């Protein structure tokens, strides 16, 4: 039997009714380790802030292991760290998370992926969600990251890399369309 | 080396495009550059899991969340969450939201001139059982106007959000009702080009799950992306 996956439809403007009960801006929770703060702003083709988006984050723990049975790596797990966050944007289009910096995780073949957050973005005006990633600016491993290297244009690749805003603070803006448009993935 | 079995890619026309000018809000919010196709790595084939402990006693019964009974026609929405091979997806979170029977959301942005119902917030959630089944008790949502084009009305619909087993199986969709005369006019529904895929967004009336003297039953099975047959070679 082969079924067609159900079609995606927009979350619409009232997504908060059903989705903000699970808002999780503190991804670190009770897990041990040094906190980092990541914030950013989502803007549209006109540079206007998007106040009705929802951002979800999926990441590995600081040792580079995902809290999921498909990750069979022999690496330590802290059961308090789930690696998932959800944050609606505020009236200024801003989202913010507190988390632990992820470790490097295996990529295709023998490659290693630089520390990154997988980011999913939902909003009114998007019939299906957008997949992107956020990488860290102070990582030599970015140069060899197999996913970053799918983005040939250096300027475009840089849209996936956060800015350092101080000790343990990163900012990463998402531009939906136009100048400095963020790279989105088909995955 | 970690071998990862990825998920299948969509068949043409079965999912909406990002830019669909009939739905005006996509024009400024859809990417203009092509998406960059990437292989599925450990990042994409893992994803958040939510246990049954996240669900409260009345979370799946939207008629029991207020002090009194909400106004409107009670209905049962039930179905299965499956993958592309028809295999049930057990223990996965399903989030639901909708407007009330008068066509108004319990949300500050919704200023439609229709009454709010103090006994209906329109939010529900459940985790599928071992057979991938879910079941909500709710009120049939009303149609409501929106400003996408002249005299635009959304067909009655219920929003559903699902996770599935992996980051790439995430799905947010809307379930519609059979025979709704607004469906042919709705750009969001019609953004799915393939007619068979589009019709899968419509629930079916079901006498088996209809409760005598109490509530009409509607069935809606939800299909998430399935595993590719062989490990990805990229």
């Amino acid at each position: 039997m082969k079924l067609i996956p159900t079609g995606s439809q927009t979350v619409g403007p009232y997504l908060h009714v059903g989705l903000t009960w699970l808002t999780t801006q503190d991804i670190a929770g009770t897990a041990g380790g040094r906190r980092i703060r990541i914030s950013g702003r989502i803007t549209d083709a006109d540079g206007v802030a998007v106040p009705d988006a929802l951002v979800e984050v999926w990441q590995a723990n600081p040792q580079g292991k995902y809290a999921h049975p498909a990750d069979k790596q022999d690496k330590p797990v802290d059961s308090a760290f789930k690696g998932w966050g959800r944050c609606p944007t505020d009236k200024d289009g801003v989202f913010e998370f507190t988390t632990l910096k992820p470790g490097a995780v295996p990529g295709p073949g023998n490659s290693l992926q630089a520390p990154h957050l997988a980011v999913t973005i939902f909003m009114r005006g998007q019939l299906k969600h957008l997949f992107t990633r956020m990488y860290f600016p102070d990582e030599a491993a970015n140069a060899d990251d197999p996913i970053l290297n799918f983005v040939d244009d250096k300027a475009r690749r840089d849209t996936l890399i956060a800015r350092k805003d101080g000790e343990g603070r990163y900012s990463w803006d998402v531009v939906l369309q136009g100048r400095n448009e963020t790279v989105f993935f088909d995955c | 080396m970690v071998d990862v079995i990825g998920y299948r890619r969509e068949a043409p026309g079965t999912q909406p495009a990002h830019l669909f000018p009939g739905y005006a809000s996509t024009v400024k919010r859809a990417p203009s550059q092509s998406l960059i196709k990437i292989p599925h790595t450990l990042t994409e084939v893992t994803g958040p899991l939510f246990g049954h402990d996240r669900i409260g006693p009345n979370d799946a019964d939207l008629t029991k969340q207020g002090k009194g009974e909400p106004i409107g026609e009670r209905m049962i929405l039930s179905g299965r969450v499956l993958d592309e091979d028809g295999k049930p997806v057990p223990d996965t979170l399903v989030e639901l939201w909708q407007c009330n029977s008068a066509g108004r959301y319990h949300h500050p942005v919704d200023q439609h001139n229709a009454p709010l119902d103090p006994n209906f917030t329109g939010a529900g959630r459940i985790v599928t059982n071992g057979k991938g089944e879910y079941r909500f008790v709710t009120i049939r949502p009303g149609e409501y106007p929106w400003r996408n084009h002249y005299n635009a009305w959304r067909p009655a619909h219920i929003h559903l959000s699902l996770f599935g087993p992996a980051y790439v199986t995430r799905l947010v969709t809307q379930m519609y009702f059979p025979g709704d005369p607004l469906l042919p006019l709705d750009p969001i529904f019609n953004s799915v080009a393939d007619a068979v895929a589009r019709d899968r967004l419509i629930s079916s009336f079901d006498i088996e799950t209809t409760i005598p003297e109490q509530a009409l039953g509607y069935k809606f099975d939800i299909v998430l992306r399935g595993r590719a047959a062989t490990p990805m070679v990229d």
Side-chain angles (χ1 to χ4, degrees), chain B residues 137-204:
Chain B
V137 181
T138 187
I139 295 291
R140 187 181 167 118
E143 299 82 1
Y144 59 86
W146 61 314
R147 293 186 177 147
N148 185 69
H149 55 274
Y150 173 70
N151 210 7
W153 292 77
R154 290 299 327 277
H157 62 276
I158 293 177
H159 296 266
L160 294 160
S161 156
L162 296 98
F163 285 84
Y167 176 71
V168 293
T169 53
R170 189 85 174 85
L171 173 72
V172 175
T173 189
Q174 298 181 27
M175 182 225 87
Y176 301 93
F177 290 87
D180 192 325
L182 293 168
L183 284 170
L185 306 174
D186 183 54
I188 294 177
F189 172 69
N190 288 290
S191 68
V192 177
D194 182 276
V196 175
R198 192 165 62 238
D199 285 347
R200 292 283 161 78
L201 299 174
I202 305 173
S203 58
S204 54

Side-chain angles (χ1 to χ4, degrees), chain A residues 14, chain B residues 99 103-113 144:
Chain A
Y14 312 120
Chain B
C99 63
R104 175 113 182 240
Y105 285 87
H106 187 81
H107 190 289
V109 168
D110 188 353
Q111 295 297 314
H112 174 38
N113 178 24
Y144 59 86

Side-chain angles (χ1 to χ4, degrees), chain B residues 75-79 135 204-212 215-219:
Chain B
M75 61 170 274
I76 310 295
L77 171 61
S78 66
R135 179 179 184 273
S204 54
F205 168 69
D206 181 50
I207 194 70
E208 297 301 318
T209 50
T210 294
I211 305 174
L216 292 180
Y218 288 88
K219 282 290 223 194

Side-chain angles (χ1 to χ4, degrees), chain B residues 217-234:
Chain B
Y218 288 88
K219 282 290 223 194
F220 188 61
D221 287 344
I222 301 160
V223 181
L224 304 180
R225 288 170 75 175
R227 261 354 232 280
T230 51
M232 307 248 318
V233 182
D234 281 279

